Amino acid sequence: MTKRLRALLAGLAGAAVVVFGHGAAQAAPKKLVIEMVTHGEAVDPFWTRIKNGADLAARQMNVDLRYRAPNTFNMVKMKDLIQAAVNQHPAGLIVTIPDAAALGPPIKGAVDDGIPVITMNTGRVPGKKLGTLAYVGEGNYAGGVEAGKRFAKLGATLGVCLNQEVGQIALERRCQGFAKGFGHKVITLPTSEDPTTVVSQIEAFLRTHPGANAILANSAPLGGEPAVKAVEALGLKTKIFIGSFDLSPGFLQALAQKKADFALDQQPFLQGYLSVVLIANYARYGVIPSEYDIPTGPNFVTPKNAAQVIALSKKGIR
C-alpha cells in the first residue's frame, strides 16, 4: 500500500472523530442505511470479525448497517439477498463476490441504479469489471503463493490444500497460488464444515499419502485446528508443516506451542471496518481512494509473535 493511500485511509477513518468529536460545533450528519451482503457461514468465526469491524465503523459513522448472509455457502440464496438489499435503495452496498457468474447481475444492477458498491474479501477482479468503487481485502492467489514459498523454505515437498467450500473461487485461488509458490505437487482435499469430521478426513489422507508434509488450511477453526489434532493423533515421526489462512484462538495457541508453523492474517476486522468507512464517506461527500485495491493482508503470524495477538483474537478482532 502506498504512503498516499495510507494517508488517505487514515483521514477517512478519522472522519468519525471530526464529525462526532465536536458535537457542539458541528451537528452529526443524517444517518445512512448501508447494506452488507456476504457469503459468510454462521459456523465460521471469521465472519464474526468482519461484522465486528463493520459494526464499530457503523457506530462511529452514524450508519444503520444491515448485514445479510446465507446460513450455508449458497449462491442462489446469496443472489436473492443481494437483490433484496438493492431493492431497499440503500445509500451504499458492500458485497463479497465468490461467484461472479451467479452474483454479477444484481451487483451490476445496483451500480446501474446509482448505488455505490464496494467489494470486500472476495471478488477483486469481477468487482472492478462490474464498476464497483474499491476492493478491500487480501489477494487470495498472492497469499497462496506466499504460503507456498514459506513451505518450500521449510523443506516441504508434498502439499495438501484443505478446502471446506468447494466451488468458492477465492479458496480455489488460494490453493492454486499455493501450488505456484510451492513448486512441488499440491493435492486439494475437499473437507467438511464440521471440525471433528475434518480431523478424520485429514488422518485418512495422511495415511494414504505418507509423503505429504505440508498442510495449508483455508480456515483456522475449520481446517488449521483439525490439522493440528490429526497430526498429533497419528503420532508420525516425520515432520508435517501446518499453515492456515486466517486466525482463531485455538490455532494461535498451536502456533505459540510450535505445533503449527504460520498463519496468514488478512485482517477481516479491518475489511469490515474500512468498507463501511469508505462507503459512508463516499455517500456523504463523494470521496474515495483513487487506488482500487486496498490490501489488508496477508500478514504472517508465526510462533514468534503468536502470543501478541491471542488476546485480540479472543475478542473477535484479530
Side-chain angles (χ1 to χ4, degrees):
M1 190 185 301
T2 66
K3 291 182 179 179
R4 179 168 171 270
L5 179 53
R6 287 194 187 97
L8 181 53
L9 289 177
L12 288 171
V17 176
V18 174
V19 172
F20 299 107
H22 304 281
Q26 181 178 355
K30 180 181 178 181
K31 179 167 285 191
L32 299 175
V33 174
I34 292 176
E35 295 272 358
M36 175 182 281
V37 186
T38 80
H39 62 279
E41 300 175 22
V43 297
D44 192 341
F46 175 88
W47 296 98
T48 301
R49 290 160 173 75
I50 293 263
K51 191 171 183 301
N52 285 347
D55 285 342
L56 175 60
R59 292 193 296 272
Q60 293 177 342
M61 302 300 294
N62 198 26
V63 163
D64 179 4
L65 180 68
R66 300 176 182 178
Y67 182 87
R68 306 171 189 252
N71 292 329
T72 59
F73 185 70
N74 185 316
M75 290 302 94
V76 174
K77 178 64 174 176
M78 188 176 176
K79 180 181 179 181
D80 291 343
L81 291 175
I82 293 175
Q83 189 60 60
V86 172
N87 291 344
Q88 298 303 309
H89 304 288
L93 173 65
I94 301 165
V95 294
T96 63
I97 312 178
D99 187 328
L103 306 179
I107 295 171
K108 185 63 166 59
V111 172
D112 292 344
D113 286 345
I115 299 173
V117 183
I118 281 181
T119 306
M120 174 195 67
N121 182 259
T122 59
R124 171 188 168 274
V125 173
K128 194 170 187 178
K129 291 180 179 178
L130 290 167
T132 65
L133 297 170
Y135 170 74
V136 182
E138 177 182 65
N140 290 293
Y141 182 82
V145 170
E146 293 304 312
K149 289 180 179 178
R150 185 163 289 244
F151 276 130
K153 288 181 180 179
L154 290 171
T157 54
L158 175 59
V160 54
C161 189
L162 310 180
N163 188 349
Q164 77 276 6
E165 290 178 2
V166 175
Q168 214 274 61
I169 186 62
L171 303 192
E172 292 180 354
R173 290 289 286 166
R174 289 174 177 179
C175 291
Q176 292 165 3
F178 173 20
K180 176 67 175 179
F182 190 42
H184 302 285
K185 184 177 180 179
V186 171
I187 301 170
T188 297
L189 176 64
T191 56
S192 167
E193 296 168 7
D194 173 31
T196 301
T197 302
V198 177
V199 173
S200 299
Q201 291 176 312
I202 296 172
E203 288 181 8
F205 179 88
L206 293 176
R207 288 192 186 98
T208 56
H209 298 78
N213 55 4
I215 301 174
L216 179 64
N218 268 303
S219 165
L222 302 182
E225 292 181 35
V228 171
K229 291 178 180 178
V231 170
E232 285 186 323
L234 290 174
L236 302 174
K237 294 182 180 180
T238 57
K239 170 66 177 177
I240 296 181
F241 301 100
I242 301 173
S244 179
F245 279 88
D246 307 323
L247 308 177
S248 70
F251 195 72
L252 284 169
Q253 288 289 351
L255 285 170
Q257 296 166 6
K258 298 184 179 180
K259 295 179 180 180
D261 299 278
F262 64 84
L264 296 96
D265 182 14
Q266 61 175 298
Q267 302 185 106
F269 180 92
L270 194 60
Q271 291 177 14
Y273 182 85
L274 286 180
S275 295
V276 173
V277 168
L278 290 169
I279 204 77
N281 275 287
Y282 184 83
R284 287 195 176 107
Y285 313 119
V287 295
I288 196 76
S290 59
E291 295 182 32
Y292 182 79
D293 293 316
I294 302 173
T296 61
N299 295 319
F300 278 98
V301 179
T302 68
K304 292 183 179 180
N305 62 352
Q308 299 173 3
V309 297
I310 286 176
L312 288 175
S313 178
K314 290 179 179 179
K315 294 179 180 179
I317 297 175
R318 290 295 298 274

